[in-house]
Every structure is written in C-alpha cells, then in structure tokens.
Amino acid sequence: MISNQILQNTIEGIKNISRAELAVADIEGNVLVSTFPEMEINNVEVVNFARSQADSQSMKNFQFFKVYDEHQLEYVLLAKGDNEDIFLVGKMAAFQIQNLLVAYKERFDKDNFIKNLLLDNLLLVDIYNRAKKLHIDADMRRVVFILESNPDKDHGTIENVRNLFGNKSGDFITAVDEKNVIIVKELSDTDDSAQLNKIALSVLDTIGRDENHRTHIAYGTIVKELKEVSRSYKEARMALDVGKIFFDERDVIAYSSLGIGRLIYQLPIPLCKMFIKEIFVDKSPDDFDEETLSTINKFFENSLNVSETSRQLYIHRNTLVYRLDKLQKSTGLDLRVFEDAITFKIALMVVRYMKYMETLEY
C-alpha cells in the first residue's frame, strides 16, 4: 500500500502539469487524497463503480478509473471533467499509480529479504534464489552501517537517509525499531576504511548530531558476498554497543577500531567480577577519588610519560610521582611499569563494561 503522502504528491504533480483536478478513493468509497474539496465526491457512486465490471466510467462531470495491484482492485481514481483531455489525463494518472504500486511492492519484498538476510533467517540456497528473483547482485562488496538516533528527535530519519543515498538500486535502507536504521551499502572496488568513515560522517551531517550524544553510527567490515552481509551486521551491532561503553565521545565507531574492548565485551560477568577481585581485593576503581582517576587517565593518554603528564596536569613532577607511589601502595600496581599499567587499564575497562551491563538489566 502506498502512503497517502506519496499519493497526494503524485496527483498534485499531475495537476500542476495538466491542470486536471484529481482524487483517489479506496474501494469502500473513502477519499484518501484529493486536489479539490471532498464534498464534491459522491461516495456511493465510487462504491457502485468499484463493484461494477467497468474499468472506467463517466458520471456527473467525473471520470472514474480503476487502479489494480496484480488484478486486485486497490484504488478508484477520479478525474474532474468529462472531455477527452480529462479522460486521457485520468488514464495516465491511473497508470502512474499502478506503477507506483508495483515499485513499492518490489521495495517491500526487497526490504523483507534484507531483514531476513541480516538476521540469518535464510538458508544459503534461499539467499541466492531470492536474490536472483529480486535482481540483487550476490557478488558485490558491501558493508553494513547501523545508525542509532534519538527517537524523540525526528520520525523522518529513515527517509532522510534514503534521500541521501538517492535510492540507488544497490543500497538498502531499512529499520528494525524506532531507534535504529540499518544501511547495507554497496561499495566499489576502491572504497576503503577512509571512505566508509566519510559515508558515516555524511549520514550524521544529514540527520544532525544530537547534543546529548545519543546519535551514533557504527559499521562492520567489508564483505564480498551477499551471504556474508549478516556478519557485517553483527560486527556493526557489536561496534555500536562496545563504542557506547568505551568510546562514548565518538559519533562514528568502526568494528576494526574496537581493540581490546571487543574482547572484554564478550567476557561473562562472573569472570569479570573474579578478575576485579583478584586485582583490587576489596577495592574497586570506583573507590578512587576524582583527582586520582584523572591522574591515571592522563598518565595513560601520555603513554606513561611522567614529565608530559605533570605538565598537562599543571603539577610538579614530584607531585605526580607521589600520587603514583600512593596508588602503588594502595593497589600493588606501579603504573610506571608497563605490565602493571596494562593490567590496570584493562581493569578500568572491565569495570566500565560491568557498569554498562548493569544498566541493561534494569
């Protein structure tokens, strides 16, 4: 079924060209869209025409036309006027709407196919058979993007994304819920990770970034066959989740850039709790004050460089050394030693992961 907005735009466009007044009603006689007052239309006459054997008919200064969807009557088109020119415009308008029905049905079939493909609901033989029927090239480079936006911000996000890609036959844009838009993008042989980042940024520029950082876009790795698209989707889904845990300042997250966060994300919570208890015994990184945590993070940012860290924190080198010594006494870990620093960094990431998982449980 075509949306009323599309129908309205279609008949208004035809009116602007032909100056003919048009309306579209359903088979129960309800006027869906019109370029003139609905009160001029007799609903009973529409119903009687729909039930008749005629495909077109002239009654009381109106031309009636039937619009079919695979031999099933879908709409009744009305053209105001009884001359031959109006009859010709009405026939053309009915033909245009019938073609729209075919196009939208094909897009709906493709949309269902892509959703089932992403969710691994198809057998391998079904993937290639259905792809062939829907004229989808099975051997193309593709990547999956997942756009997560604020659902309260704009209900037209998916249409904005579709307009950005210009309805290219090889690209598929679909939605799985009110928050996420999935983009299956067809790529050329020369497209690389830098190009993927540009595409992601252009999507964000189109829909607008959210001030509260509730708009993110993530993407998986490039795949070369249609059957592997679901893998790219799963990677993009993981990138979106892992990005929100460890890289919440980023708007664009690539699966290939997740690093150790990808491993931590797959750890069971009991194992994480055991690890934290072994490292900190009765303590937790949450027990450290803000000054200590900012010192630790800045030290890591500067690759364990004491001089540069003290300069950026505007403190004396000896003050930083004192803080690191104090932390070593408290935890048994000396962050100036690479192995201890790695252990501490991983522990901080594990705690962030555990806190994130706790929020999902409520």
Side-chain angles (χ1 to χ4, degrees):
M1 180 72 73
I2 306 172
S3 70
N4 287 355
Q5 184 62 51
I6 297 295
L7 284 174
Q8 186 70 47
N9 292 342
T10 300
I11 64 172
E12 284 180 357
I14 295 173
K15 176 188 173 181
N16 291 337
I17 297 170
S18 65
R19 298 184 181 179
E21 300 286 358
L22 302 166
V24 178
D26 61 22
I27 58 177
E28 280 85 34
N30 304 308
V31 178
L32 303 176
V33 293
S34 175
T35 62
F36 58 91
E38 295 179 18
M39 64 185 68
E40 298 181 32
I41 300 172
N42 187 320
N43 299 63
V44 176
E45 290 176 349
V46 174
V47 173
N48 289 338
F49 169 69
R51 293 173 179 173
S52 71
Q53 298 297 315
D55 287 333
S56 62
Q57 189 174 342
S58 177
M59 286 187 291
K60 298 181 181 178
N61 199 37
F62 281 101
Q63 305 275 358
F64 291 73
F65 303 89
K66 289 180 179 178
V67 180
Y68 294 93
D69 180 14
E70 292 188 356
H71 308 293
Q72 178 75 32
L73 182 60
E74 193 71 35
Y75 299 118
V76 172
L77 174 78
L78 294 86
K80 191 175 181 181
D82 57 3
N83 59 50
E84 289 186 4
D85 289 341
I86 295 297
F87 177 81
L88 181 61
V89 171
K91 290 285 285 184
M92 292 176 64
F95 179 74
Q96 175 68 13
I97 293 174
Q98 194 157 309
N99 282 340
L100 280 176
L101 282 169
V102 173
Y104 268 74
K105 192 166 186 178
E106 181 177 328
R107 194 171 88 175
F108 177 75
D109 288 342
K110 286 186 177 180
D111 191 64
N112 273 342
F113 170 69
I114 292 299
K115 284 180 179 177
N116 284 314
L117 178 67
L118 294 170
L119 298 174
D120 269 337
N121 290 338
L122 297 171
L123 297 173
L124 186 60
V125 64
D126 292 333
I127 291 175
Y128 289 103
N129 286 341
R130 292 188 62 182
K132 187 175 181 180
K133 289 179 181 178
L134 294 170
H135 307 291
I136 298 173
D137 195 335
D139 298 317
M140 287 294 296
R141 297 174 82 237
R142 292 181 174 91
V143 69
V144 176
F145 294 85
I146 299 181
L147 171 68
E148 181 184 71
S149 62
N150 183 352
D152 301 326
K153 180 183 176 185
D154 183 9
H155 294 291
T157 299
I158 190 168
E159 289 303 323
N160 292 336
V161 174
R162 282 196 177 116
N163 291 335
L164 171 65
F165 290 100
N167 293 320
K168 294 179 181 177
S169 59
D171 297 335
F172 304 99
I173 294 91
T174 187
V176 292
D177 53 45
E178 62 180 3
K179 288 178 62 179
N180 296 295
V181 175
I182 300 173
I183 305 161
V184 181
K185 183 77 179 73
E186 189 174 281
L187 304 173
S188 69
D189 293 336
T190 57
D191 286 337
D192 54 14
S193 56
Q195 182 62 26
L196 299 187
N197 218 56
K198 287 182 182 178
I199 294 170
L201 290 172
S202 67
V203 172
L204 289 179
D205 290 340
T206 298
I207 67 166
R209 288 171 168 80
D210 189 88
E211 294 178 357
N212 298 319
H213 295 286
R214 294 175 64 185
T215 303
H216 303 275
I217 186 167
Y219 58 90
T221 55
I222 297 172
V223 297
K224 297 180 179 180
E225 295 184 45
L226 194 61
K227 65 179 182 180
E228 296 178 338
V229 165
S230 62
R231 174 166 61 82
S232 186
Y233 168 70
K234 291 170 186 174
E235 292 170 348
R237 174 65 65 188
M238 179 184 286
L240 194 63
D241 288 339
V242 175
K244 285 189 288 186
I245 301 171
F246 303 117
F247 314 107
D248 54 353
E249 74 285 352
R250 297 186 195 174
D251 293 329
V252 178
I253 309 108
Y255 176 79
S256 58
S257 68
L258 297 179
I260 197 170
R262 190 169 73 204
L263 299 177
I264 294 173
Y265 179 74
Q266 299 178 78
L267 294 175
I269 294 298
L271 186 61
C272 292
K273 291 180 179 178
M274 187 185 303
F275 173 72
I276 294 299
K277 189 172 183 180
E278 288 176 357
I279 299 300
F280 297 106
V281 190
D282 295 327
K283 277 186 167 291
S284 167
D286 290 339
D287 298 332
F288 299 127
D289 56 54
E290 191 63 34
E291 182 183 77
T292 302
L293 286 174
S294 63
T295 300
I296 294 168
N297 289 328
K298 187 62 69 175
F299 193 53
F300 286 144
E301 286 176 21
N302 289 290
S303 303
L304 314 185
N305 187 309
V306 174
S307 299
E308 184 61 24
T309 303
S310 59
R311 188 185 69 80
Q312 290 189 19
L313 288 174
Y314 302 102
I315 60 175
H316 194 276
R317 176 188 173 93
N318 290 342
T319 303
L320 176 59
V321 171
Y322 170 75
R323 291 181 184 177
L324 294 175
D325 287 341
K326 185 179 176 182
L327 184 66
Q328 182 181 2
K329 290 178 182 178
S330 173
T331 63
L333 297 172
D334 185 356
L335 298 193
R336 290 159 293 193
V337 177
F338 181 74
E339 187 174 338
D340 286 357
I342 287 292
T343 301
F344 202 99
K345 177 66 174 177
I346 292 174
L348 289 176
M349 295 179 71
V350 167
V351 169
R352 290 189 68 173
Y353 165 61
M354 289 167 60
K355 290 173 71 173
Y356 174 79
M357 296 306 292
E358 285 177 4
T359 62
L360 297 183
E361 293 175 1
Y362 295 103

